Amino acid sequence: MRITGTQYSLSKKQGILELTYQGRSVDKFEYIGKTVREMTDEIWRSLKLKGTVVNKDNLQATIQELFPNIRRHGPLK
């Protein structure tokens, strides 16, 4: 799923979220047991280090689309 306003995409794999840039894997994040907010902060920091500015609310919405029926403050499965 593409992150709004960037050339980066997020995809959900077995136990990880994979951040890709133009089809190439850039970073991987384990999501088991973490909340949507914690994942948003981790990915936002990674993008910031790469020089990409993204709105946290848009990033959080993108992550929530990858996990349908998940509560905002509940653990990801």
Side-chain angles (χ1 to χ4, degrees):
M1 174 158 292
R2 190 168 185 109
I3 299 172
T4 307
T6 70
Q7 294 182 353
Y8 288 92
S9 298
L10 271 177
S11 58
K12 181 179 166 185
K13 307 268 176 143
Q14 185 68 25
I16 62 168
L17 288 179
E18 185 175 36
L19 183 66
T20 57
Y21 178 75
Q22 296 179 343
R24 285 180 256 132
S25 179
V26 177
D27 216 342
K28 296 179 182 181
F29 306 93
E30 282 193 38
Y31 65 79
I32 306 253
K34 295 182 181 175
T35 64
V36 173
R37 194 58 168 178
E38 290 171 339
M39 288 307 306
T40 301
D41 290 340
E42 275 187 48
I43 296 169
W44 183 82
R45 271 187 246 115
S46 176
L47 288 170
K48 187 176 178 183
L49 288 173
K50 291 169 181 41
T52 302
V53 178
V54 65
N55 185 321
K56 274 191 178 182
D57 292 332
N58 291 341
L59 181 58
Q60 184 171 345
T62 302
I63 294 170
Q64 283 183 304
E65 288 178 29
L66 292 172
F67 297 94
N69 302 324
I70 198 77
R71 292 187 344 255
R72 180 176 287 204
H73 301 289
L76 299 174
K77 298 176 185 173

